[in-house]
Amino acid sequence: GSAIDDFCDFRPFIAAAVANGMDPDVAQGFEDRFSCAIFNPGVGNSFWQDVDGDGTLEKYDLSAAQLGYPKLKRKYYGIDLFLERPFDGKWYARVDYTFSRNWGNTEGQLLSDIGQLDVSATQAFDFPELMEHANGLLPNHRKHQLKARGYYQLSDEWTLSGNFLYASGRPRNCLGIYPDRDNPGSGYRSSYFYCNGEAAPRGSYGSLPATYRLDLGVRYAPEWGKGMTLSMDVFNVFNRQSMQNVTEQYNQNGTTTVNPDWNRAVSYSAPRSVQFTARYDW
């Protein structure tokens, strides 16, 4: 229910200082001196800042309304079901199914949808304008997930195994420029939940393709070599390379020009691979 991130909006400090009698022309100079500050989004915060530029820090107690950010939302619910067949000396199997929903206006300390790795210093919450229409399905939402695994013991020496995964595709966004280009909070180029001049709420542009993966393995534990195990695993047997991320920035370089890379794949799941393992326990 809470988070820590940075924000870079100088306007609440200037407004508070002017309301307390500071000369507006003096307070306006704070815009060039303020970079960013760490805070708890969506609630009141206290800051020490030198708004008038005299070299002395003054305390500013700003309410959530004064800061202008929405209440932080990050919700998850899920239903897990499983069916398991215990090992009887011959074979074992288990199937898991999860129905879930992950939604809100921030996923946490990182932004996986655009690949931003600045921990607790993401572009989310930098300005209130970035949070307009930000509520929706979060990047790691997977509505359906099905996992199946099992193994079959052919003999004391040979064992076959398999794993299967299905997961619904991640939500897709369209991030564009802010409609009001004269707004002080509009300087983050193609980072707003607006697309082609219209509101584009988070997760409203459909979903990426679902992920499928089948892994198979065989293990040989020879009677003549007690403690030795030789195994071969084939990952992603059908070589299905699912789209994991796409370019979500609709505009190019902060202009109205459409980004030619918009909606293009950025990464795919790993291709088929084979792993050989030799193990000896003593």
PDB file of all heavy atoms in Angstrom, residues 63-77:
ATOM      1  N   SER A  63       0.505  18.622   1.718  1.00  0.00           N
ATOM      2  CA  SER A  63      -0.520  17.578   1.739  1.00  0.00           C
ATOM      3  C   SER A  63      -0.549  16.845   0.407  1.00  0.00           C
ATOM      4  O   SER A  63       0.054  17.279  -0.588  1.00  0.00           O
ATOM      5  CB  SER A  63      -1.887  18.193   2.012  1.00  0.00           C
ATOM      6  OG  SER A  63      -2.290  19.014   0.922  1.00  0.00           O
ATOM      7  N   ALA A  64      -1.271  15.733   0.377  1.00  0.00           N
ATOM      8  CA  ALA A  64      -1.414  14.987  -0.876  1.00  0.00           C
ATOM      9  C   ALA A  64      -2.073  15.851  -1.940  1.00  0.00           C
ATOM     10  O   ALA A  64      -1.707  15.790  -3.124  1.00  0.00           O
ATOM     11  CB  ALA A  64      -2.222  13.716  -0.632  1.00  0.00           C
ATOM     12  N   ALA A  65      -3.038  16.670  -1.527  1.00  0.00           N
ATOM     13  CA  ALA A  65      -3.724  17.550  -2.474  1.00  0.00           C
ATOM     14  C   ALA A  65      -2.762  18.593  -3.035  1.00  0.00           C
ATOM     15  O   ALA A  65      -2.799  18.910  -4.229  1.00  0.00           O
ATOM     16  CB  ALA A  65      -4.914  18.217  -1.799  1.00  0.00           C
ATOM     17  N   GLN A  66      -1.887  19.146  -2.190  1.00  0.00           N
ATOM     18  CA  GLN A  66      -0.929  20.139  -2.661  1.00  0.00           C
ATOM     19  C   GLN A  66       0.087  19.536  -3.623  1.00  0.00           C
ATOM     20  O   GLN A  66       0.487  20.170  -4.603  1.00  0.00           O
ATOM     21  CB  GLN A  66      -0.200  20.770  -1.468  1.00  0.00           C
ATOM     22  CG  GLN A  66      -1.050  21.719  -0.645  1.00  0.00           C
ATOM     23  CD  GLN A  66      -0.317  22.206   0.579  1.00  0.00           C
ATOM     24  OE1 GLN A  66       0.078  21.416   1.443  1.00  0.00           O
ATOM     25  NE2 GLN A  66      -0.125  23.515   0.671  1.00  0.00           N
ATOM     26  N   LEU A  67       0.508  18.307  -3.349  1.00  0.00           N
ATOM     27  CA  LEU A  67       1.466  17.646  -4.233  1.00  0.00           C
ATOM     28  C   LEU A  67       0.822  17.242  -5.554  1.00  0.00           C
ATOM     29  O   LEU A  67       1.483  17.204  -6.591  1.00  0.00           O
ATOM     30  CB  LEU A  67       2.057  16.419  -3.537  1.00  0.00           C
ATOM     31  CG  LEU A  67       3.029  16.729  -2.393  1.00  0.00           C
ATOM     32  CD1 LEU A  67       3.304  15.485  -1.574  1.00  0.00           C
ATOM     33  CD2 LEU A  67       4.334  17.289  -2.953  1.00  0.00           C
ATOM     34  N   GLY A  68      -0.470  16.909  -5.508  1.00  0.00           N
ATOM     35  CA  GLY A  68      -1.220  16.665  -6.742  1.00  0.00           C
ATOM     36  C   GLY A  68      -1.089  15.280  -7.340  1.00  0.00           C
ATOM     37  O   GLY A  68      -1.400  15.082  -8.528  1.00  0.00           O
ATOM     38  N   TYR A  69      -0.652  14.305  -6.550  1.00  0.00           N
ATOM     39  CA  TYR A  69      -0.500  12.947  -7.070  1.00  0.00           C
ATOM     40  C   TYR A  69      -1.641  12.054  -6.598  1.00  0.00           C
ATOM     41  O   TYR A  69      -2.134  12.198  -5.477  1.00  0.00           O
ATOM     42  CB  TYR A  69       0.836  12.341  -6.613  1.00  0.00           C
ATOM     43  CG  TYR A  69       2.026  12.997  -7.254  1.00  0.00           C
ATOM     44  CD1 TYR A  69       2.637  14.106  -6.666  1.00  0.00           C
ATOM     45  CD2 TYR A  69       2.543  12.527  -8.457  1.00  0.00           C
ATOM     46  CE1 TYR A  69       3.734  14.718  -7.256  1.00  0.00           C
ATOM     47  CE2 TYR A  69       3.632  13.128  -9.058  1.00  0.00           C
ATOM     48  CZ  TYR A  69       4.224  14.223  -8.455  1.00  0.00           C
ATOM     49  OH  TYR A  69       5.297  14.822  -9.048  1.00  0.00           O
ATOM     50  N   PRO A  70      -2.031  11.093  -7.422  1.00  0.00           N
ATOM     51  CA  PRO A  70      -3.104  10.177  -7.019  1.00  0.00           C
ATOM     52  C   PRO A  70      -2.627   9.210  -5.943  1.00  0.00           C
ATOM     53  O   PRO A  70      -1.427   8.976  -5.786  1.00  0.00           O
ATOM     54  CB  PRO A  70      -3.441   9.431  -8.320  1.00  0.00           C
ATOM     55  CG  PRO A  70      -2.141   9.433  -9.074  1.00  0.00           C
ATOM     56  CD  PRO A  70      -1.512  10.774  -8.771  1.00  0.00           C
ATOM     57  N   LYS A  71      -3.560   8.640  -5.237  1.00  0.00           N
ATOM     58  CA  LYS A  71      -3.237   7.634  -4.236  1.00  0.00           C
ATOM     59  C   LYS A  71      -2.622   6.423  -4.915  1.00  0.00           C
ATOM     60  O   LYS A  71      -3.087   5.976  -5.963  1.00  0.00           O
ATOM     61  CB  LYS A  71      -4.502   7.226  -3.479  1.00  0.00           C
ATOM     62  CG  LYS A  71      -4.257   6.264  -2.325  1.00  0.00           C
ATOM     63  CD  LYS A  71      -5.545   5.984  -1.583  1.00  0.00           C
ATOM     64  CE  LYS A  71      -5.340   4.985  -0.454  1.00  0.00           C
ATOM     65  NZ  LYS A  71      -4.384   5.466   0.546  1.00  0.00           N
ATOM     66  N   LEU A  72      -1.572   5.908  -4.322  1.00  0.00           N
ATOM     67  CA  LEU A  72      -0.884   4.765  -4.917  1.00  0.00           C
ATOM     68  C   LEU A  72      -1.774   3.530  -4.904  1.00  0.00           C
ATOM     69  O   LEU A  72      -2.426   3.232  -3.905  1.00  0.00           O
ATOM     70  CB  LEU A  72       0.407   4.496  -4.136  1.00  0.00           C
ATOM     71  CG  LEU A  72       1.300   3.370  -4.660  1.00  0.00           C
ATOM     72  CD1 LEU A  72       2.761   3.737  -4.514  1.00  0.00           C
ATOM     73  CD2 LEU A  72       1.012   2.064  -3.927  1.00  0.00           C
ATOM     74  N   LYS A  73      -1.783   2.817  -6.025  1.00  0.00           N
ATOM     75  CA  LYS A  73      -2.570   1.592  -6.127  1.00  0.00           C
ATOM     76  C   LYS A  73      -1.696   0.482  -6.719  1.00  0.00           C
ATOM     77  O   LYS A  73      -1.051   0.668  -7.755  1.00  0.00           O
ATOM     78  CB  LYS A  73      -3.794   1.792  -7.029  1.00  0.00           C
ATOM     79  CG  LYS A  73      -4.809   2.781  -6.489  1.00  0.00           C
ATOM     80  CD  LYS A  73      -5.973   2.927  -7.451  1.00  0.00           C
ATOM     81  CE  LYS A  73      -6.970   3.974  -6.956  1.00  0.00           C
ATOM     82  NZ  LYS A  73      -8.086   4.150  -7.920  1.00  0.00           N
ATOM     83  N   ARG A  74      -1.687  -0.646  -6.038  1.00  0.00           N
ATOM     84  CA  ARG A  74      -0.976  -1.824  -6.538  1.00  0.00           C
ATOM     85  C   ARG A  74      -1.664  -3.042  -5.923  1.00  0.00           C
ATOM     86  O   ARG A  74      -1.448  -3.375  -4.761  1.00  0.00           O
ATOM     87  CB  ARG A  74       0.495  -1.778  -6.158  1.00  0.00           C
ATOM     88  CG  ARG A  74       1.325  -2.910  -6.754  1.00  0.00           C
ATOM     89  CD  ARG A  74       2.794  -2.766  -6.433  1.00  0.00           C
ATOM     90  NE  ARG A  74       3.043  -2.656  -5.013  1.00  0.00           N
ATOM     91  CZ  ARG A  74       3.861  -1.781  -4.452  1.00  0.00           C
ATOM     92  NH1 ARG A  74       4.496  -0.913  -5.211  1.00  0.00           N
ATOM     93  NH2 ARG A  74       4.044  -1.765  -3.148  1.00  0.00           N
ATOM     94  N   LYS A  75      -2.534  -3.674  -6.680  1.00  0.00           N
ATOM     95  CA  LYS A  75      -3.387  -4.738  -6.155  1.00  0.00           C
ATOM     96  C   LYS A  75      -3.156  -6.044  -6.913  1.00  0.00           C
ATOM     97  O   LYS A  75      -2.884  -6.043  -8.107  1.00  0.00           O
ATOM     98  CB  LYS A  75      -4.866  -4.357  -6.283  1.00  0.00           C
ATOM     99  CG  LYS A  75      -5.228  -3.012  -5.657  1.00  0.00           C
ATOM    100  CD  LYS A  75      -5.133  -3.041  -4.149  1.00  0.00           C
ATOM    101  CE  LYS A  75      -5.606  -1.710  -3.555  1.00  0.00           C
ATOM    102  NZ  LYS A  75      -5.494  -1.721  -2.076  1.00  0.00           N
ATOM    103  N   TYR A  76      -3.303  -7.127  -6.190  1.00  0.00           N
ATOM    104  CA  TYR A  76      -3.202  -8.452  -6.806  1.00  0.00           C
ATOM    105  C   TYR A  76      -4.194  -9.384  -6.130  1.00  0.00           C
ATOM    106  O   TYR A  76      -4.331  -9.376  -4.904  1.00  0.00           O
ATOM    107  CB  TYR A  76      -1.791  -9.024  -6.652  1.00  0.00           C
ATOM    108  CG  TYR A  76      -1.675 -10.470  -7.108  1.00  0.00           C
ATOM    109  CD1 TYR A  76      -1.411 -10.778  -8.437  1.00  0.00           C
ATOM    110  CD2 TYR A  76      -1.856 -11.526  -6.211  1.00  0.00           C
ATOM    111  CE1 TYR A  76      -1.330 -12.096  -8.866  1.00  0.00           C
ATOM    112  CE2 TYR A  76      -1.774 -12.848  -6.633  1.00  0.00           C
ATOM    113  CZ  TYR A  76      -1.512 -13.121  -7.956  1.00  0.00           C
ATOM    114  OH  TYR A  76      -1.433 -14.425  -8.373  1.00  0.00           O
ATOM    115  N   TYR A  77      -4.898 -10.154  -6.916  1.00  0.00           N
ATOM    116  CA  TYR A  77      -5.643 -11.273  -6.354  1.00  0.00           C
ATOM    117  C   TYR A  77      -5.495 -12.453  -7.291  1.00  0.00           C
ATOM    118  O   TYR A  77      -5.272 -12.303  -8.491  1.00  0.00           O
ATOM    119  CB  TYR A  77      -7.114 -10.939  -6.104  1.00  0.00           C
ATOM    120  CG  TYR A  77      -7.977 -10.725  -7.328  1.00  0.00           C
ATOM    121  CD1 TYR A  77      -8.392 -11.792  -8.124  1.00  0.00           C
ATOM    122  CD2 TYR A  77      -8.410  -9.456  -7.679  1.00  0.00           C
ATOM    123  CE1 TYR A  77      -9.185 -11.605  -9.239  1.00  0.00           C
ATOM    124  CE2 TYR A  77      -9.209  -9.254  -8.797  1.00  0.00           C
ATOM    125  CZ  TYR A  77      -9.596 -10.337  -9.566  1.00  0.00           C
ATOM    126  OH  TYR A  77     -10.385 -10.144 -10.666  1.00  0.00           O
TER     127      TYR A  77
END
